[in-house]
Amino acid sequence: MAPRKIAILGGGLGAVSTAYALTSIPGWAERFEIDLYTAGWRLGGKGASGRNAAHAERIEEHGLHVWLGFYQNAFALIQHCYAELGSVAARRGEGPVLQFEDAFRRHSELAVMDRGASGWRRMRLRFPETKAVPGGPNPRLLPSLSHYLELAKQLARTGLESASEDAPGARAQLRRLGRSLQRSVLGRGAWAKARAATDPWTEALDEDPALRETFQLVDLFVTLGLGLVAELGLEGRHLDDLDDDEFLDWLRRWGADPATLDSPLIRGIYDMGLAFEEGDPERPSFAAGAFIRATLRILFTYEGAVFWKMQGGMGDIVFAPLYRVLLDRGVRVHFFHRVDRLEPSADGREVAAVHMSVQAQIRPPSDEQARPWADAEGYDPLRVVHGEPCWPSEPDWGQLADGEALREHLRWLEDPRLPGPAPLRQLSLTRGRDFDALVLGIPVAALRTIAAELGQVNQRFGRMLAGIQTVQTQAAQLWLEPSLDELGYHDPPTVLASYVDPLNTWADMSHLIPLERWSPGEVGSVAYYCGPRRGPEASEAASAAEEQASVEAELDALLDAKARDLWPGAQAEDGRFDSQRLLPDSERARRSYVRVNDAPSERYVLTSPGTTRLRLAPDDSGFANLYLCGDWTRNDFNTGCVEATVMSGLEAARALAAYPFHVVGSRPGRWSSRRSLWERGARS
């Protein structure tokens, strides 16, 4: 039989994960021909990054990207990729390659900002580390609900005991809460009565940050336990059944104290999940079941460390290695191919055609010009920085016909709403001739236009397109001359959330300085900020200059008002941020990078109340030859993150190939096995 033709649409992690999984099947080339089509010059989607050659090869990201220690599937995939990358480089006569152990490093120092009567206070969270690495052959099994509750109870009791030692005046009340905690599983009444008896000292919470933090932590886990036991343990429901409620509303219904609802711990998770409707910090939006699942996995199922920081940009560490391995395996990648429209068949049961615009024509290389990582059309997207292939922040214009003219339309290459050159060459892929099956890895906000006709002939698909909410985001990066210590920040480097909106999350990324090309002493610290951006989905894009000016203004306001809370050494005599010394206008372009992610394919997918039931599983698109992948699909995690995206890609590949990949974290009974998904040898 002729190999089955698979067309994968999109260049994000979901699409790339699907291609990687399919090509990991023994004898895959006899079964499939795989083509991957993506707009622009790079892979990565929302996780794409680039190197700016004009500014010291600095890393420019879409936002702050760190991996979490419970990412079992994502780490399994990337470790497998790195293990193969060495042999790929050897066959091609390339030098030594980066090892996984050097690409990801443990990070266990987190912080949230707590606002009390005396102002902002940094609350440090230090998580214990282990020697384990997520994604190994025996992944840590997910605890049962009863185990989660026991762990939460232990954490709450530890907090009570610690606070009793630190706050002698409240010791008796805290012990009373501890005894009530033992009885609370019988009903919320015991907990509510015990908490009511402490009203006289709860008035002091604003004056005693340590006491307030302990109270909020204990109240959160006890209330969470009561609600889960009542709604799931006694009623036999699943976490997904709680997704019609917004988490804060659900917690309030089960009697959480108002101080707990405003806890920086809770707000920190909302901030990291960008979980605000239309980017409005006054409109939190996180489905209760998904929030609880994410929180429990973050706290109780991580391996090695709660966070893992990449030692480079997302493009350098994740997508360049994946691209090189896929290319070596025989996947045909097509850059500069923008998908414009999906056409359903006459009977509405399949996708009949994919209509595209080809954004650029590739110049053939000269005799002396090497293109070792060229795609199917001959375009080589990578550039070597410090010995490692990386994605540039803009295409290699010399490889493109009329490249200089295209330079004026750089952002159009990744945002179809912007004006571009005309006319473009049109290309249509047709069912039976160019593809037998499609994998749709384009984010849902972009599909509202691209796949509108599919939604018209299939009601479930249409409800999914209309119902899943997204939010635009914004990010800023600073390269400052003083070190973190010289700026007055003397704690270990951290990832910090629950701060001033809209750039409410900050991370020190100074470990990246040696990977860029700054002059000695030019840069001593690097700061990344990110957060949601207000506004609904827009059909038209603002100008790049307007967007940049807007984010720069918000960054300046944040630095002037609040930088002293983190960096006392950055303060000028008037108490504001010392921009004349640290960020002068003459150095602004070199020392700062800002961006707004408002293009349809860049918007972050929310897990809003009532929307998880609208998600379609990778194998349940409603069209016989269409499979779905991305963090917007139904994938047993249902929250926007790297892990959910990889899970979705694996499930798409599993369904398409009928091959028993094991997806860690899927519901029991679905290809259950503890062996690594890359070690499975049996066919379905």
Side-chain angles (χ1 to χ4, degrees):
M1 295 179 61
R4 192 177 178 196
K5 296 179 180 179
I6 311 298
I8 300 176
L9 309 179
L13 188 56
V16 173
S17 298
T18 305
Y20 194 92
L22 288 174
T23 55
S24 298
I25 299 172
W28 75 270
E30 299 174 1
R31 299 181 59 189
F32 306 118
E33 292 180 2
I34 301 177
D35 290 86
L36 187 149
Y37 299 88
T38 185
W41 69 97
R42 56 185 170 182
L43 297 180
K46 294 188 288 292
S49 70
R51 296 292 195 131
N52 191 319
H55 296 307
E57 295 289 1
R58 70 186 189 188
I59 298 165
E60 297 176 345
E61 298 271 10
H62 277 60
L64 173 63
H65 295 289
V66 293
W67 286 35
L68 278 78
F70 73 89
Y71 286 2
Q72 295 286 358
N73 298 287
F75 272 109
L77 183 144
I78 201 65
Q79 287 181 70
H80 189 271
C81 174
Y82 271 88
E84 186 173 338
L85 189 60
S87 59
V88 170
R91 279 196 302 274
R92 290 172 170 253
E94 301 169 7
V97 299
L98 188 69
Q99 301 297 308
F100 169 80
E101 293 76 12
D102 298 319
F104 289 85
R105 298 286 176 86
R106 292 169 175 80
H107 182 86
S108 301
E109 183 79 19
L110 280 73
V112 292
M113 294 297 283
D114 184 16
R115 187 172 189 175
S118 58
W120 289 96
R121 174 179 178 271
R122 188 164 65 250
M123 177 180 173
R124 291 176 62 187
L125 306 171
R126 294 178 295 277
F127 290 80
E129 292 186 1
T130 70
K131 294 182 179 180
V133 177
N138 291 300
R140 184 173 180 178
L141 296 179
L142 301 182
S144 63
L145 176 59
S146 61
H147 190 193
Y148 275 134
L149 294 177
E150 180 62 29
L151 292 170
K153 187 174 77 171
Q154 292 174 10
L155 184 59
R157 284 190 62 82
T158 300
L160 286 172
E161 293 168 359
S162 174
S164 295
E165 297 172 358
D166 296 339
R171 187 171 299 164
Q173 291 89 339
L174 288 169
R175 285 177 176 170
R176 187 182 302 126
L177 282 177
R179 289 193 297 271
S180 177
L181 179 59
Q182 296 284 2
R183 302 190 300 270
S184 63
V185 294
L186 301 177
R188 59 178 172 173
W191 177 249
K193 290 177 182 177
R195 203 177 59 202
T198 64
D199 280 347
W201 64 268
T202 57
E203 296 175 2
L205 291 181
D206 269 350
E207 301 175 2
D208 190 334
L211 190 62
R212 178 172 65 253
E213 292 162 4
T214 300
F215 176 82
Q216 292 171 342
L217 179 67
V218 173
D219 188 52
L220 169 62
F221 280 110
V222 173
T223 308
L224 187 65
L226 291 173
L228 291 177
V229 168
E231 295 206 35
L232 305 185
L234 301 182
E235 299 179 13
R237 302 170 69 195
H238 189 274
L239 272 178
D240 289 351
D241 297 326
L242 308 183
D243 279 348
D244 284 346
D245 290 320
E246 208 288 319
F247 175 69
L248 292 176
D249 293 338
W250 182 87
L251 207 61
R252 187 180 294 108
R253 190 171 76 242
W254 282 100
D257 190 88
T260 302
L261 297 173
D262 195 36
S263 162
L265 296 170
I266 294 178
R267 184 57 179 251
I269 296 178
Y270 273 84
D271 287 348
M272 287 191 289
L274 302 159
F276 302 97
E277 189 172 346
E278 294 187 354
D280 185 346
E282 301 302 320
R283 299 163 66 190
S285 182
F286 210 139
F291 184 98
I292 294 168
R293 179 188 293 111
T295 303
L296 294 177
R297 290 195 186 178
I298 291 171
L299 294 178
F300 299 129
T301 69
Y302 72 83
E303 290 194 300
V306 65
F307 277 2
W308 290 72
K309 274 188 174 180
M310 289 173 287
Q311 305 302 295
M314 185 83 159
D316 309 343
I317 300 301
V318 177
F319 290 102
L322 286 169
Y323 173 69
R324 293 164 66 190
V325 171
L326 288 177
L327 212 64
D328 184 74
R329 288 180 173 185
V331 174
R332 295 189 293 261
V333 179
H334 307 262
F335 293 104
F336 303 107
H337 282 66
R338 188 185 73 202
V339 178
D340 297 325
R341 183 168 68 92
L342 300 181
E343 178 185 338
S345 60
D347 59 9
R349 296 181 179 179
E350 292 187 307
V351 177
V354 179
H355 302 289
M356 298 180 175
S357 295
V358 181
Q359 299 172 301
Q361 181 180 344
I362 312 304
R363 286 177 174 170
S366 59
D367 293 339
E368 66 278 2
Q369 189 178 31
R371 296 182 183 177
W373 302 290
D375 73 347
E377 274 73 39
Y379 177 75
D380 187 341
L382 302 178
R383 184 171 69 241
V384 176
V385 180
H386 290 309
E388 293 296 327
C390 302
W391 304 92
S393 287
E394 57 184 51
D396 181 349
W397 305 109
Q399 294 186 49
L400 308 180
D402 298 323
E404 289 305 313
L406 276 173
R407 188 191 292 267
E408 300 178 9
H409 304 282
L410 172 64
R411 291 188 68 245
W412 161 82
L413 290 171
E414 296 182 320
D415 187 349
R417 300 171 304 166
L418 297 169
L424 298 178
R425 182 168 70 88
Q426 302 302 306
L427 175 67
S428 294
L429 309 180
T430 59
R431 174 189 53 182
R433 184 191 69 187
D434 302 299
F435 66 86
D436 299 306
L438 291 173
V439 177
L440 186 55
I442 298 173
V444 67
L447 294 181
R448 303 199 210 289
T449 300
I450 294 170
E453 294 177 51
L454 303 189
Q456 294 169 4
V457 301
N458 185 295
Q459 292 184 355
R460 291 176 63 244
F461 200 94
R463 286 194 294 269
M464 181 268 294
L465 291 180
I468 296 179
Q469 298 182 32
T470 64
V471 62
Q472 59 183 349
T473 65
Q474 55 190 340
Q477 298 170 219
L478 296 176
W479 290 263
L480 303 177
E481 182 177 344
S483 67
L484 203 60
D485 193 60
E486 291 169 338
L487 289 170
Y489 188 96
H490 304 303
D491 290 337
T494 192
V495 176
L496 179 145
S498 188
Y499 198 32
V500 179
D501 294 310
L503 294 167
N504 49 38
T505 301
W506 163 73
D508 174 72
M509 302 295 281
S510 302
H511 66 283
L512 300 178
I513 296 172
L515 305 176
E516 300 171 340
R517 286 181 173 164
W518 301 98
S519 301
E522 187 176 2
V523 172
S525 60
V526 181
Y528 282 23
Y529 291 89
C530 71
R533 183 171 178 82
R534 287 178 184 264
E537 289 191 27
S539 58
E540 297 181 1
S543 72
E546 290 174 348
E547 291 176 344
Q548 179 160 325
S550 175
V551 180
E552 285 182 354
E554 291 181 346
L555 177 63
D556 288 343
L558 170 67
L559 294 174
D560 283 340
K562 299 300 177 184
R564 59 182 176 270
D565 294 329
L566 297 177
W567 308 329
Q571 186 173 303
E573 291 184 2
D574 61 1
R576 301 173 66 184
F577 181 72
D578 193 353
S579 58
Q580 291 295 325
R581 175 171 61 96
L582 300 175
L583 199 62
D585 290 342
S586 60
E587 286 284 300
R588 183 108 200 186
R590 184 170 176 80
R591 293 190 175 273
S592 68
Y593 172 71
V594 300
R595 67 173 295 138
V596 174
N597 301 306
D598 65 341
S601 60
E602 296 174 340
R603 294 177 64 93
Y604 185 82
V605 178
L606 297 179
T607 309
S608 301
T611 64
T612 55
R613 68 160 66 96
L614 301 176
R615 292 172 174 241
L616 302 179
D619 60 350
D620 189 28
S621 71
F623 298 88
N625 62 345
L626 181 65
Y627 300 83
L628 310 175
C629 64
D631 61 4
W632 51 274
T633 65
R634 188 175 184 86
N635 55 61
D636 294 323
F637 193 68
N638 291 340
T639 300
C641 65
V642 164
E643 178 72 349
T645 307
V646 173
M647 289 172 70
S648 179
L650 297 178
E651 292 189 355
R654 180 172 64 185
L656 196 156
Y659 187 82
F661 288 116
H662 172 50
V663 183
V664 180
S666 288
R667 296 182 188 178
R670 298 176 66 180
W671 307 111
S672 59
S673 167
R674 292 190 63 198
R675 295 180 63 194
S676 167
L677 59 91
W678 306 111
E679 294 182 347
R680 295 299 303 272
R683 292 183 181 274
S684 172

